[in-house]
Amino acid sequence: MINRVVLVGRLTKDVELRYTTSGAVVGSFSLAVNRQFTSANGERETDFINAIIWRKSAENLAQFTHKGSLIGIDGRLQTRNYEDKQGKRVYVTEVIVDNFSLLEPKQGGQVPKQVQQSPTMNQSANPFGASDVNIEDDDLPF
């Protein structure tokens, strides 16, 4: 079986870090990823994809990025469900991140340090057009 996800997009907000009861760091974030095609009215639509990253990688991602940062992620798709406070079943689909790459220079013209790069990602090429994403708070679905 194969379950791999590779995405390039922009962070919709800063990475949110939390800690498990055993002390493990977990980061959660949403990535805005442009679709390859335009809609009937000529506009490019964007998907907002939730992702989770663990341990030192989570700390590094939170330290080196901010809302709007262009990143590439490599991981696996995971689904889960739970019952909310009203007793309604909630289904969640998210990417569990194994690796990430910083895909644009830091302010000041420095080339980004690649914290963890998957062999399938290339820092100099962006075939997905994700640099076109301009995220405003009003654009977010939540």
Side-chain angles (χ1 to χ4, degrees):
M1 308 292 163
I2 298 174
N3 181 356
R4 296 307 302 164
V5 176
V6 177
L7 299 169
V8 173
R10 293 195 179 273
L11 292 175
T12 61
K13 60 182 178 179
D14 291 346
V15 177
E16 180 183 326
L17 293 181
R18 296 183 316 273
Y19 297 86
T20 65
T21 54
S22 64
V25 181
V26 59
S28 58
F29 61 95
S30 181
L31 201 62
V33 180
N34 275 353
R35 293 185 181 174
Q36 286 294 88
F37 53 88
T38 57
S39 64
N41 60 1
E43 294 182 11
R44 188 174 300 266
E45 295 183 12
T46 302
D47 292 305
F48 296 90
I49 300 170
N50 294 324
I52 302 293
I53 188 166
W54 288 89
R55 299 176 183 77
K56 187 65 175 173
S57 295
E59 292 174 333
N60 287 337
L61 184 62
Q63 179 180 356
F64 293 112
T65 63
H66 54 82
K67 176 182 175 180
S69 293
L70 180 65
I71 65 169
I73 62 173
D74 170 37
R76 63 184 170 83
L77 201 58
Q78 175 178 285
T79 59
R80 59 186 172 88
N81 63 76
Y82 63 92
E83 203 169 287
D84 68 8
K85 294 176 183 176
Q86 291 77 32
K88 183 179 177 185
R89 180 69 48 197
V90 177
Y91 295 89
V92 178
T93 301
E94 57 203 358
V95 176
I96 306 302
V97 178
D98 294 326
N99 301 298
F100 71 90
S101 292
L102 308 176
L103 298 178
E104 60 188 357
K106 293 172 79 172
Q107 291 177 342
Q110 298 175 354
V111 176
K113 174 184 176 188
Q114 293 206 262
V115 180
Q116 292 182 4
Q117 180 178 4
S118 166
T120 59
M121 292 185 204
N122 182 340
Q123 170 181 341
S124 62
N126 181 2
F128 303 107
S131 61
D132 299 333
V133 178
N134 184 11
I135 304 165
E136 299 296 329
D137 287 338
D138 295 339
D139 297 331
L140 300 176
F142 40 86

